[in-house]
């Protein structure tokens, strides 16, 4: 488990999939340190959903698998990326209007809705999420918060039936 704190605007860590919960702590600390706590919900849900896609890809065979988690502060926003040794994201289409037929579709939908830009690279081994946090319109932030509430409410309602 290798961690490298390069400076306050860049962070990189290699994390075992069995300990992926640590990434949530990294995200929380990064959001607090960079004064973007109001984006924590959108960022953390997006990252959690990426982890779920990775776990789904490996099934029960993720015991000795690692991912590299990176953060970078960019002009006008922040970037979070996750890289694997396998081409996990090569066949995933991040489409906000896709039908929600499976758990994977739900993960893709949420990542697409909550991120400003998604970049898949390294032949599908790496996914980068960009969040434009410098001067985001309050209306867009409220829309994203409402989407999360609506999704959670619908999901809870479905589980009650």
């Amino acid at each position: 488990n290798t961690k490298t704190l390069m400076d306050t605007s860049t962070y990189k860590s290699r994390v075992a999939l069995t300990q992926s919960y640590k990434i949530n702590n990294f995200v929380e600390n990064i959001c607090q340190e960079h004064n973007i706590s109001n984006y924590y919900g959108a960022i953390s849900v997006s990252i959690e959903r990426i982890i779920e896609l990775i776990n789904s890809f490996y099934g029960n065979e993720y015991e000795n698998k690692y991912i590299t988690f990176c953060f970078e502060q960019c002009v006008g926003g922040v970037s979070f990326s996750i890289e694997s040794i396998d081409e996990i994201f090569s066949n995933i289409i991040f489409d906000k209007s896709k039908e929600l037929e499976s758990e994977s579709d739900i993960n893709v939908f949420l990542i697409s809705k909550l991120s400003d830009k998604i970049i898949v690279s390294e032949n599908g081994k790496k996914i980068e999420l960009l969040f434009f946090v410098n001067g985001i319109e309050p209306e867009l932030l409220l829309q994203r918060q409402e989407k999360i509430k609506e999704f959670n409410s619908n999901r809870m309602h479905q589980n009650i039936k």
Side-chain angles (χ1 to χ4, degrees):
N1 191 2
T2 313
K3 293 183 196 171
T4 308
L5 189 57
M6 296 175 225
D7 59 45
T8 59
S9 62
T10 307
Y11 179 80
K12 184 176 184 177
S13 179
R14 185 170 179 249
V15 180
L17 272 178
T18 55
Q19 297 180 335
S20 60
Y21 61 88
K22 291 181 177 182
I23 291 176
N24 198 37
N25 293 335
F26 299 148
V27 170
E28 184 175 10
N29 291 336
I30 287 166
C31 288
Q32 287 176 353
E33 184 178 317
H34 292 276
N35 199 25
I36 56 170
S37 293
N38 53 335
Y39 297 92
Y40 172 74
I43 293 170
S44 65
V45 168
S46 297
I47 299 294
E48 287 170 8
R49 295 305 174 138
I50 287 173
I51 300 297
E52 286 184 30
L53 287 173
I54 294 169
N55 286 336
S56 175
F57 177 85
Y58 288 121
N60 294 328
E61 304 296 321
Y62 61 87
E63 190 66 32
N64 294 314
K65 303 290 184 186
Y66 289 84
I67 54 175
T68 301
F69 171 77
C70 297
F71 161 79
E72 184 176 355
Q73 185 173 15
C74 312
V75 174
V78 292
S79 165
F80 292 87
S81 66
I82 294 180
E83 188 169 0
S84 171
I85 60 168
D86 294 302
E87 297 175 359
I88 296 170
F89 307 105
S90 59
N91 294 323
I92 297 175
I93 298 170
F94 290 91
D95 181 0
K96 295 177 183 180
S97 61
K98 187 175 181 173
E99 291 292 320
L100 304 179
E101 298 174 2
S102 69
E103 188 67 29
S104 178
D105 291 341
I106 293 169
N107 290 335
V108 169
F109 172 80
L110 286 171
I111 295 165
S112 299
K113 282 289 194 184
L114 298 175
S115 307
D116 290 308
K117 188 171 184 179
I118 301 167
I119 301 168
V120 176
S121 59
E122 309 293 326
N123 294 322
K125 294 179 183 178
K126 181 178 180 180
I127 185 167
E128 180 179 5
L129 304 180
L130 298 171
F131 298 89
F132 304 136
V133 298
N134 195 11
I136 189 169
E137 298 173 25
E139 185 177 314
L140 178 58
L141 181 59
L142 286 173
Q143 287 174 357
R144 287 183 177 171
Q145 290 170 339
E146 287 301 316
K147 290 284 183 193
I148 292 172
K149 287 178 188 174
E150 180 182 321
F151 175 79
N152 286 333
S153 175
N154 289 341
R155 191 150 179 131
M156 286 178 53
H157 189 294
Q158 288 174 349
N159 289 338
I160 292 173
K161 288 183 178 181

